[in-house]
Amino acid sequence: MTLPRDARIVILTGAGISAESGLRTFRAADGLWEDHRVEDVATPEAFGRNPELVYRFYNERRRSLAAVQLNAAHLALARLEKEWPGELLLVTQNVDDLHDRAGSRNLLHMHGELLKGRCLGCGAVADWPDDMDGHSRCPTCTRGLVRPHIVWFGELPLGLERIYAALECCNLFVAIGTSGHVYPAAGFVEAVGPRARTVELNLEPSRVVDAFQEHRVGRATDLVPALVAELLGGPAF
Ligand code: APR
């Protein structure tokens, strides 16, 4: 694929890009997420009902990040950002830090970040690499209780204004490793401007594959470096 060098690119990633790093995707056949029902751990109601369980669940997820390594797909996207002369926005639904570790900087975590906490009082967001519990206080206001900086079901994703503005004027939209079950991200492909090319890279066709002009089926660690090499006009690395 070739594009003008000033083309604007928006990339959306989902759990599939981190699967080969050893992080489980969400929509497994049993419908459970790491042995929990989503409504028991990933809703504001769950946090209100049983904060200890929710804190523990995200503490486990946060700790598990230490054991995983980024993969060739994360690295390829960081390389693309560095070498692409036009604008590039990477939007991820993932709450892991693998894109950050790979070096992506123009990066928006629309569903929040495991390694951050948010104050229930003043709303400040702070780095939070350690465990969190009902005694965790906000480092900014020093009084408020801190919750995981995660967008739970029923809450508004982060950065939507910036994302839709970028989609509207992009020349290429690529979705990688996302099943197309969760909105608004699943609808981004419909929000691109009339001149944009749209490509899906996934292990299997997603639920919204028909909305894309092109789809490539395979593993992210194969497909993403190949696409990046095509765009940059050189060999895969
Ligand atoms: N390479 C490419 N794609 C893969 C790979 C891989 N190695 N492994 C799995 N996939 C694909 C799966 O086929 C699936 O279509 O990645 C997709 C992952 O889908 P989900 O588990 O539904 O994850 P995602 O789309 O990111 O979920 C969206 O749902 O639960 C919420 O907030 C959570 O951000 C999450 C959102």
Side-chain angles (χ1 to χ4, degrees), residues 14-16 19-20 25-27 93 111 153 177-179 182 202-204 218-220:
E20 290 165 76
T25 56
F26 294 94
R27 286 177 179 77
Q93 298 168 87
H111 289 168
F153 283 91
T178 178
S179 63
V182 173
N202 211 47
L203 200 55
E204 62 204 351
R219 299 185 315 173

Short mmCIF file of all heavy atoms in Angstrom, two decimals, residues 14-16 19-20 25-27 93 111 153 177-179 182 202-204 218-220, ligand 1:
data_model
loop_
_atom_site.label_atom_id
_atom_site.label_comp_id
_atom_site.label_asym_id
_atom_site.label_seq_id
_atom_site.Cartn_x
_atom_site.Cartn_y
_atom_site.Cartn_z
N GLY A 14 -6.78 -3.16 19.62
CA GLY A 14 -7.55 -3.83 20.66
C GLY A 14 -6.72 -4.95 21.26
O GLY A 14 -5.52 -5.10 20.95
N ALA A 15 -7.37 -5.76 22.06
CA ALA A 15 -6.67 -6.79 22.84
C ALA A 15 -5.83 -7.73 21.97
O ALA A 15 -4.83 -8.28 22.43
CB ALA A 15 -7.68 -7.58 23.65
N GLY A 16 -6.23 -7.91 20.70
CA GLY A 16 -5.52 -8.84 19.83
C GLY A 16 -4.06 -8.46 19.60
O GLY A 16 -3.22 -9.34 19.35
N ALA A 19 -2.14 -10.00 22.43
CA ALA A 19 -2.37 -11.43 22.70
C ALA A 19 -1.06 -12.22 22.62
O ALA A 19 -0.80 -13.09 23.45
CB ALA A 19 -3.39 -12.00 21.72
N GLU A 20 -0.23 -11.90 21.63
CA GLU A 20 1.02 -12.65 21.47
C GLU A 20 2.07 -12.25 22.51
O GLU A 20 3.14 -12.85 22.58
CB GLU A 20 1.56 -12.48 20.05
CG GLU A 20 0.69 -13.20 19.04
CD GLU A 20 0.99 -12.75 17.64
OE1 GLU A 20 2.02 -13.17 17.09
OE2 GLU A 20 0.19 -11.96 17.07
N THR A 25 -7.25 -12.01 25.60
CA THR A 25 -8.25 -11.13 25.01
C THR A 25 -9.53 -11.24 25.85
O THR A 25 -9.61 -12.03 26.77
CB THR A 25 -8.52 -11.50 23.54
OG1 THR A 25 -8.89 -12.87 23.49
CG2 THR A 25 -7.27 -11.29 22.68
N PHE A 26 -10.53 -10.43 25.50
CA PHE A 26 -11.73 -10.36 26.35
C PHE A 26 -12.78 -11.39 25.98
O PHE A 26 -13.39 -11.99 26.84
CB PHE A 26 -12.36 -8.96 26.25
CG PHE A 26 -11.47 -7.93 26.83
CD1 PHE A 26 -10.59 -7.22 26.03
CD2 PHE A 26 -11.47 -7.69 28.18
CE1 PHE A 26 -9.74 -6.28 26.57
CE2 PHE A 26 -10.63 -6.76 28.74
CZ PHE A 26 -9.76 -6.05 27.93
N ARG A 27 -13.04 -11.51 24.67
CA ARG A 27 -14.21 -12.29 24.28
C ARG A 27 -13.88 -13.76 24.07
O ARG A 27 -13.99 -14.29 22.99
CB ARG A 27 -14.86 -11.65 23.06
CG ARG A 27 -15.53 -10.43 23.56
CD ARG A 27 -16.22 -9.50 22.79
NE ARG A 27 -16.70 -8.54 23.79
CZ ARG A 27 -15.94 -7.61 24.36
NH1 ARG A 27 -14.67 -7.50 24.04
NH2 ARG A 27 -16.44 -6.81 25.27
N GLN A 93 -7.64 0.63 22.76
CA GLN A 93 -8.63 0.26 23.76
C GLN A 93 -7.96 -0.48 24.91
O GLN A 93 -8.60 -0.78 25.91
CB GLN A 93 -9.69 -0.66 23.14
CG GLN A 93 -10.46 -0.02 22.00
CD GLN A 93 -11.26 -1.06 21.24
OE1 GLN A 93 -12.38 -1.37 21.60
NE2 GLN A 93 -10.68 -1.60 20.18
N HIS A 111 -9.73 3.67 26.82
CA HIS A 111 -10.38 2.94 27.92
C HIS A 111 -9.58 3.04 29.22
O HIS A 111 -9.78 2.24 30.13
CB HIS A 111 -10.60 1.48 27.53
CG HIS A 111 -11.67 1.30 26.49
ND1 HIS A 111 -11.89 0.12 25.81
CD2 HIS A 111 -12.60 2.18 26.00
CE1 HIS A 111 -12.89 0.28 24.95
NE2 HIS A 111 -13.33 1.51 25.04
N PHE A 153 -17.71 -0.22 31.93
CA PHE A 153 -18.93 -0.26 31.12
C PHE A 153 -19.94 0.73 31.70
O PHE A 153 -20.11 0.80 32.92
CB PHE A 153 -19.51 -1.69 31.07
CG PHE A 153 -18.72 -2.55 30.12
CD1 PHE A 153 -17.64 -3.30 30.56
CD2 PHE A 153 -19.03 -2.57 28.76
CE1 PHE A 153 -16.89 -4.07 29.68
CE2 PHE A 153 -18.28 -3.33 27.87
CZ PHE A 153 -17.21 -4.08 28.33
N GLY A 177 -6.62 -6.09 15.71
CA GLY A 177 -6.84 -6.93 16.88
C GLY A 177 -8.01 -6.52 17.75
O GLY A 177 -7.92 -6.57 18.98
N THR A 178 -9.10 -6.12 17.12
CA THR A 178 -10.29 -5.77 17.91
C THR A 178 -11.51 -6.44 17.29
O THR A 178 -11.65 -6.47 16.06
CB THR A 178 -10.44 -4.24 18.04
OG1 THR A 178 -11.63 -3.96 18.77
CG2 THR A 178 -10.44 -3.51 16.72
N SER A 179 -12.38 -6.97 18.16
CA SER A 179 -13.47 -7.83 17.68
C SER A 179 -14.67 -7.05 17.14
O SER A 179 -15.57 -7.64 16.57
CB SER A 179 -13.93 -8.74 18.82
OG SER A 179 -14.45 -7.94 19.87
N VAL A 182 -17.47 -3.72 20.87
CA VAL A 182 -17.67 -2.65 21.85
C VAL A 182 -17.66 -1.27 21.17
O VAL A 182 -16.70 -0.92 20.48
CB VAL A 182 -16.59 -2.74 22.96
CG1 VAL A 182 -16.66 -1.54 23.89
CG2 VAL A 182 -16.81 -4.01 23.76
N ASN A 202 -6.74 -8.61 11.57
CA ASN A 202 -7.25 -9.38 12.71
C ASN A 202 -7.07 -10.87 12.45
O ASN A 202 -6.97 -11.31 11.31
CB ASN A 202 -8.74 -9.06 12.91
CG ASN A 202 -9.17 -9.15 14.37
OD1 ASN A 202 -8.49 -8.61 15.24
ND2 ASN A 202 -10.27 -9.82 14.63
N LEU A 203 -7.08 -11.61 13.55
CA LEU A 203 -6.92 -13.06 13.44
C LEU A 203 -8.10 -13.71 12.73
O LEU A 203 -7.98 -14.78 12.14
CB LEU A 203 -6.78 -13.63 14.86
CG LEU A 203 -6.17 -15.00 15.03
CD1 LEU A 203 -4.79 -15.09 14.39
CD2 LEU A 203 -6.06 -15.34 16.52
N GLU A 204 -9.25 -13.05 12.81
CA GLU A 204 -10.46 -13.53 12.13
C GLU A 204 -11.27 -12.29 11.77
O GLU A 204 -11.07 -11.24 12.39
CB GLU A 204 -11.27 -14.44 13.06
CG GLU A 204 -11.74 -13.70 14.29
CD GLU A 204 -12.02 -14.59 15.49
OE1 GLU A 204 -12.03 -15.82 15.33
OE2 GLU A 204 -12.24 -14.03 16.57
N GLY A 218 -4.78 -12.72 9.98
CA GLY A 218 -3.53 -13.32 10.45
C GLY A 218 -3.15 -12.77 11.80
O GLY A 218 -3.94 -12.08 12.45
N ARG A 219 -1.91 -13.08 12.21
CA ARG A 219 -1.44 -12.64 13.52
C ARG A 219 -0.90 -11.23 13.44
O ARG A 219 -0.22 -10.86 12.46
CB ARG A 219 -0.33 -13.57 14.01
CG ARG A 219 -0.81 -15.01 14.18
CD ARG A 219 0.25 -15.88 14.78
NE ARG A 219 1.56 -15.63 14.14
CZ ARG A 219 2.70 -16.15 14.55
NH1 ARG A 219 2.71 -16.93 15.61
NH2 ARG A 219 3.82 -15.90 13.93
N ALA A 220 -1.15 -10.47 14.48
CA ALA A 220 -0.69 -9.07 14.50
C ALA A 220 0.82 -8.96 14.30
O ALA A 220 1.30 -8.05 13.63
CB ALA A 220 -1.11 -8.42 15.81
N1 APR B 1 -3.40 -11.05 16.15
C1 APR B 1 -4.45 -10.35 15.67
N2 APR B 1 -5.68 -10.42 16.21
C2 APR B 1 -5.85 -11.25 17.24
C3 APR B 1 -4.80 -12.01 17.80
C4 APR B 1 -3.52 -11.90 17.20
N3 APR B 1 -2.46 -12.57 17.63
N4 APR B 1 -5.30 -12.75 18.83
C5 APR B 1 -6.59 -12.45 18.92
N5 APR B 1 -6.94 -11.55 17.98
C6 APR B 1 -8.26 -10.95 17.73
C7 APR B 1 -9.43 -11.84 18.07
O1 APR B 1 -9.75 -12.66 16.96
C8 APR B 1 -10.52 -10.83 18.39
O2 APR B 1 -11.27 -10.49 17.22
O3 APR B 1 -8.38 -9.83 18.57
C9 APR B 1 -9.73 -9.59 18.86
C10 APR B 1 -9.86 -9.30 20.33
O4 APR B 1 -11.20 -8.99 20.62
P1 APR B 1 -11.71 -8.68 22.10
O5 APR B 1 -11.20 -9.72 23.03
O6 APR B 1 -13.17 -8.47 22.01
O7 APR B 1 -10.95 -7.32 22.48
P2 APR B 1 -11.28 -5.82 22.10
O8 APR B 1 -11.95 -5.73 20.77
O9 APR B 1 -10.05 -5.05 22.32
O10 APR B 1 -12.34 -5.45 23.23
C11 APR B 1 -12.81 -4.14 23.31
O11 APR B 1 -14.03 -4.62 25.29
O12 APR B 1 -14.15 -5.67 27.36
C12 APR B 1 -13.94 -4.47 26.70
O13 APR B 1 -12.85 -2.58 27.52
C13 APR B 1 -12.61 -3.86 27.01
O14 APR B 1 -11.12 -2.61 25.57
C14 APR B 1 -11.94 -3.76 25.66
C15 APR B 1 -13.10 -3.74 24.71
#
